[in-house]
Amino acid sequence: MRWLPVLLLSVSLRVADAQVTLQPSPASSQPRSSADSPQPALQLSPQAAYDQAARPLDITRRPVENWSDVEQAALRVAQAQAKDACLARTPYQFKGEDLLAYARLCAFAEQWEPVQQAATSYLIAQRAATPAEQATGFPSLSLAFDYEVQASLHLGNSNNAFGTAQTMLRTVPYDDLASDATNAVVRYVQLVQTDQALAVLAQRQPILLSLMKANAPPSPAAATSAHPPLSIHELYADAIDLPAMQQFANRPKEAAASFAELEAALPSTLSPDDTIMTGESRRRYLLLGSPLPAIVASTSLLEPPFTAPRDLNTKFGTATVFLLFPNWCAQCIRMGSNFFTSATGRLKPKGVRFYGLLAQLDPGLPISKPVPAAPAKPVSSVSGSKAAKQFAGATGGIPHVEVTISAAPNPAEVLMGTPTLIVPPATLDTFVSTDFPLIIVTDFRGVVRYIQPAPDNALVRDGLIDQLADRVTEQWGGLERDVR
């Protein structure tokens, strides 16, 4: 239901500066007490470590194109059945929770008009109910708001989604659905209606800061509910979107004030998970408005002699766009082979530089060595049965079965001929990358202006990449300089 044109910002991150081990002074000759012993590095909880370990699988499974043929076929059958069932009914047949069950059915079938109608009917019924009925008769109010927002965005009605998100923030407690809905609106309108994005973020910021300051542990019932309270690091990741958007709107003073207020709202005592993950969110945010960290590229896949550009870290276009991804990201490689060259063709005349950054251990050239042909084997002179002799005479030799073992293509070979640079895996940590591909955009001075995961359609003509390049060029004055 929540796959939108623009992917939400991933916030499950790992902090490096929180992993420092404290060492005692080597000059001390006194026996060390327990207080003097080296303190262990902070570690994620087992659940958080599992979530982090499973993230590559989750990212790979997210696009349907990466599913097996059998799974894709089953999905088509399921969606066709859901569409038939959705269109055979109308939202006017239902009330209460059945309306949202109907919305779920139609969302799975990607029939967004009946989803919107069902969600709207639920919200209207809630507003018309008595105060007592409102308190107990509409347990899925947050879900109804979320369906309304997502359906509006899929139908291209961002103004309705914007208004619904604002009403949602005033009406229901802030939970994962409120986070989902408001983030979806922000990502959708951030370039075309930045003021609306800022308005939503500013409206929810006091809610987030208040929840962080309260820092109340969830009750057992809340922890097992469908929508448990958000953790500190989840609240922090949502809250840091406001200063990030203010940075993107070229309002650095407002961003500094919002960031300082956010830092002041953090509880003095945090769990290891919250310490590590808020630290990574912070480190990624602090890249904005700062010079681009040095990118060490070993190889260019564009053309022989495959040498990386020497001015990569010193000369920038009117804007410079990087798309960073690891070599296991199948959808990233597919995006690169399909769109990198055409994107460069559109952006280069504008003075914009574009590079894919393929993070992998092997920095060598991705050129396969030809396998020498095996020498022909002579036909055996050993006598056999009459049938075997006849077969050998008819075929000119003994029977031969050729076995072919397929292997996944080398990502670098797939991307050969595209503007892709091979960089070390440590580059992923440099840019605090946990969702892929990651867009990094700098202005003509090499100052980072934008960092977010890319949607699948980011590189289509007039898509997110094109819009970002135009926005950064216009807003930070790249056209005023001869940077070509």
Side-chain angles (χ1 to χ4, degrees):
M1 181 189 84
R2 306 182 182 105
W3 298 346
L4 293 173
V6 179
L7 298 178
L8 304 183
L9 181 63
S10 173
V11 298
S12 298
L13 306 168
R14 180 178 52 81
V15 67
D17 54 0
Q19 295 179 340
V20 178
T21 301
L22 302 178
Q23 298 289 347
S25 171
S28 175
S29 59
Q30 300 296 324
R32 292 187 300 181
S33 66
S34 58
D36 296 328
S37 300
Q39 299 299 312
L42 285 179
Q43 289 184 326
L44 292 173
S45 67
Q47 181 61 51
Y50 170 82
D51 293 339
Q52 186 181 74
R55 192 175 298 127
L57 179 61
D58 294 338
I59 292 172
T60 301
R61 294 279 298 171
R62 187 171 58 206
V64 175
E65 293 80 7
N66 290 343
W67 294 11
S68 70
D69 292 343
V70 173
E71 291 171 314
Q72 292 187 43
L75 177 63
R76 288 192 293 270
V77 171
Q79 286 187 313
Q81 292 181 357
K83 180 179 179 181
D84 291 341
C86 171
L87 298 181
R89 297 159 174 81
T90 71
Y92 309 108
Q93 297 175 236
F94 309 107
K95 61 181 180 180
E97 302 308 298
D98 284 343
L99 276 168
L100 299 186
Y102 175 72
R104 182 184 183 188
L105 169 70
C106 296
F108 179 61
E110 298 183 347
Q111 302 300 303
W112 296 104
E113 288 186 4
V115 173
Q116 187 177 52
Q117 292 167 356
T120 300
S121 296
Y122 190 96
L123 295 173
I124 290 175
Q126 190 270 344
R127 287 194 292 268
T130 65
E133 291 173 335
Q134 288 179 349
T136 60
F138 297 87
S140 303
L141 193 57
S142 289
L143 182 60
F145 275 114
D146 193 29
Y147 274 128
E148 174 79 14
V149 167
Q150 307 297 349
S152 297
L153 294 178
H154 277 91
L155 294 170
N157 190 348
S158 62
N159 286 331
N160 187 66
F162 169 67
T164 303
Q166 290 187 307
T167 303
M168 184 180 191
L169 288 171
R170 293 192 299 266
T171 307
V172 297
Y174 194 86
D175 59 9
D176 61 330
L177 292 174
S179 173
D180 185 19
T182 51
N183 283 332
V185 172
V186 169
R187 300 297 172 245
Y188 194 96
V189 304
Q190 60 182 335
L191 289 175
V192 293
Q193 293 170 304
T194 306
D195 287 344
Q196 285 190 355
L198 285 168
V200 170
L201 294 172
Q203 182 182 348
R204 78 177 188 180
Q205 196 74 352
I207 301 172
L208 298 172
L209 299 184
S210 176
L211 290 171
M212 289 173 57
K213 290 176 182 177
N215 193 26
S219 65
T224 58
S225 68
H227 304 288
L230 297 180
S231 64
I232 294 295
H233 68 262
E234 290 170 323
L235 295 168
Y236 185 93
D238 278 357
I240 209 166
D241 276 354
L242 175 60
M245 185 59 61
Q246 290 167 330
Q247 288 264 24
F248 185 66
N250 201 14
R251 303 179 185 179
K253 291 183 179 179
E254 294 179 17
S258 297
F259 180 67
E261 187 178 21
L262 170 59
E263 290 291 297
L266 269 177
S268 57
T269 302
L270 295 175
S271 69
D273 284 358
D274 287 332
T275 300
I276 292 171
M277 294 182 188
T278 57
E280 281 289 348
S281 292
R282 180 185 302 111
R283 186 159 68 90
R284 181 155 150 181
Y285 166 76
L286 292 175
L287 291 173
L288 296 173
S290 301
L292 180 75
I295 296 174
V296 181
S298 61
T299 306
S300 170
L301 302 180
L302 185 58
E303 58 188 11
F306 305 111
T307 55
R310 295 181 178 179
D311 58 359
L312 181 63
N313 297 290
T314 57
K315 184 177 180 181
F316 302 91
T318 56
T320 301
V321 180
F322 300 94
L323 211 60
L324 173 64
F325 53 95
N327 61 351
W328 53 258
C329 182
Q331 61 268 33
C332 306
I333 296 163
R334 183 169 56 248
M335 181 187 293
S337 63
N338 291 337
F339 296 109
F340 280 9
T341 300
S342 59
T344 300
R346 293 193 309 273
L347 296 173
K348 188 175 181 180
K350 301 178 182 180
V352 177
R353 288 188 166 195
F354 174 83
Y355 300 101
L357 300 178
L358 171 61
Q360 65 177 32
L361 285 171
D362 180 13
L365 295 178
I367 300 176
S368 301
K369 297 180 181 180
V371 179
K377 294 183 179 179
V379 178
S380 174
S381 59
V382 179
S383 298
S385 67
K386 180 178 180 181
K389 291 179 180 179
Q390 289 176 342
F391 183 85
T395 60
I398 59 175
H400 172 69
V401 177
E402 188 170 309
V403 178
T404 302
I405 300 176
S406 61
N410 182 334
E413 291 180 349
V414 174
L415 294 170
M416 184 73 74
T418 69
T420 302
L421 307 175
I422 295 180
V423 296
T427 310
L428 303 177
D429 182 66
T430 298
F431 292 99
V432 201
S433 317
T434 58
D435 201 357
F436 304 102
L438 185 72
I439 304 173
I440 305 156
V441 186
T442 76
D443 63 16
F444 73 97
R445 296 184 181 91
V447 175
V448 178
R449 298 301 180 184
Y450 186 94
I451 306 178
Q452 276 188 29
D456 292 339
N457 60 354
L459 282 169
V460 301
R461 182 178 294 275
D462 298 324
L464 179 60
I465 295 293
D466 289 16
Q467 295 176 43
L468 283 170
D470 291 343
R471 175 69 173 271
V472 170
T473 296
E474 177 184 0
Q475 187 157 276
W476 280 278
L479 291 177
E480 299 174 2
R481 301 282 182 134
D482 181 15
V483 294
R484 303 188 188 190

